[in-house]
Amino acid sequence: QVQLVESGGGLVQPGGSLRLSCAASGIDVSMFRMGWYRQAPGKQRELVATVSSGATINYVTSVKGRFIISRDGAKNTVYLQMNSLKPEDTAVYYCNAYLGDNGDYWGQGTQVTVSS
């Protein structure tokens, strides 16, 4: 079975850093487009960053220059390094695997709270 499990969320002060991890089972993270999404209370889920099977990377404008998405094929894990965090980054962050015609897989989410 396919499973995506996020970890690494927590409480951090503005300007701080956090690294999220997405451990995958049942799929190879190097074979699909992997991504991170986030959802704040009362808001729509938005795409934060993606990395394709060909290693093309895209970020939403609001995190460009602050966040870095990466993957480790040996560990079958996708990461989101979050730097210079702002209160508006507060959200539940979800890992996603896009399989094209075969749809998507989602993790359960991990809470990130940026506050003094």
Side-chain angles (χ1 to χ4, degrees), residues 2 6-7 12 20 23 36 39 42 66 78 88-89 94 104 115:
V2 175
E6 301 97 331
S7 62
V12 64
L20 306 183
W36 288 95
Q39 187 166 24
R66 299 189 297 121
V78 180
E88 49 262 49
D89 294 318
Y94 297 91
D104 296 89
S115 177

Side-chain angles (χ1 to χ4, degrees), residues 1 5-6 20-21 31 33 44 49 75 79 81 86:
Q1 60 176 347
V5 180
E6 301 97 331
L20 306 183
S21 298
M31 296 290 106
R33 190 185 75 187
Q44 295 256 248
K75 298 183 185 297
Y79 302 96
Q81 178 66 45
K86 305 174 179 180

Side-chain angles (χ1 to χ4, degrees), residues 25-99:
S25 301
I27 58 165
D28 184 342
V29 300
S30 298
M31 296 290 106
F32 303 98
R33 190 185 75 187
M34 305 298 299
W36 288 95
Y37 290 69
R38 66 186 180 188
Q39 187 166 24
K43 302 288 174 47
Q44 295 256 248
R45 186 175 298 187
E46 69 168 345
L47 189 149
V48 178
T50 60
V51 55
S52 75
S53 60
T56 298
I57 293 173
N58 289 292
Y59 299 98
V60 68
T61 302
S62 60
V63 310
K64 183 74 174 179
R66 299 189 297 121
F67 290 10
I68 302 169
I69 188 171
S70 63
R71 61 188 172 198
D72 185 332
K75 298 183 185 297
N76 207 32
T77 299
V78 180
Y79 302 96
L80 185 67
Q81 178 66 45
M82 309 166 69
N83 301 314
S84 302
L85 283 161
K86 305 174 179 180
E88 49 262 49
D89 294 318
T90 296
V92 177
Y93 284 70
Y94 297 91
C95 183
N96 167 262
Y98 176 65
L99 277 63

